[in-house]
Amino acid sequence: MFDILTALQYGELTGLQGKPPMEAPYTIAEERILRQLHALEPKTAETFQHEIQVLAREQRDAAFHTGVRFGAQLMAQLMDEF
């Protein structure tokens, strides 16, 4: 168990984080963003899409790590009660 938590903490199990943002299959929000990007000049759209992907990855990673920490704290608390 400790090895799994350590790997998560140091970003070694990134496959558990889900699909990369702005890649198929698209969520409803991603489809809306892509429709708006297609209305822009291609070079501008590409720049915006890259920046959106970076922001989405940062937010996804932060939320993932928060969930891992919460789960580890919950597990530790439950094990202390037994």
Side-chain angles (χ1 to χ4, degrees):
M1 178 57 137
F2 181 73
D3 292 339
I4 293 172
L5 294 176
T6 301
L8 288 170
Q9 180 179 358
Y10 292 103
E12 296 170 3
L13 295 178
T14 56
L16 299 176
Q17 295 175 338
K19 76 171 193 72
M22 303 293 288
E23 290 187 16
Y26 302 113
T27 65
I28 293 171
E30 289 171 334
E31 287 179 2
R32 286 194 312 255
I33 291 169
L34 288 171
R35 276 197 304 269
Q36 293 177 4
L37 287 174
H38 284 99
L40 300 174
E41 177 184 316
K43 185 72 174 169
T44 304
E46 182 180 331
T47 301
F48 275 135
Q49 183 169 353
H50 175 72
E51 294 300 322
I52 290 167
Q53 285 174 316
V54 169
L55 177 62
R57 265 190 225 103
E58 289 173 359
Q59 295 296 316
R60 179 196 66 189
D61 293 349
F64 180 76
H65 285 102
T66 298
V68 168
R69 283 191 299 273
F70 175 77
Q73 290 170 348
L74 178 60
M75 185 180 302
Q77 183 177 352
L78 290 172
M79 292 190 71
D80 281 345
E81 294 177 5
F82 288 107

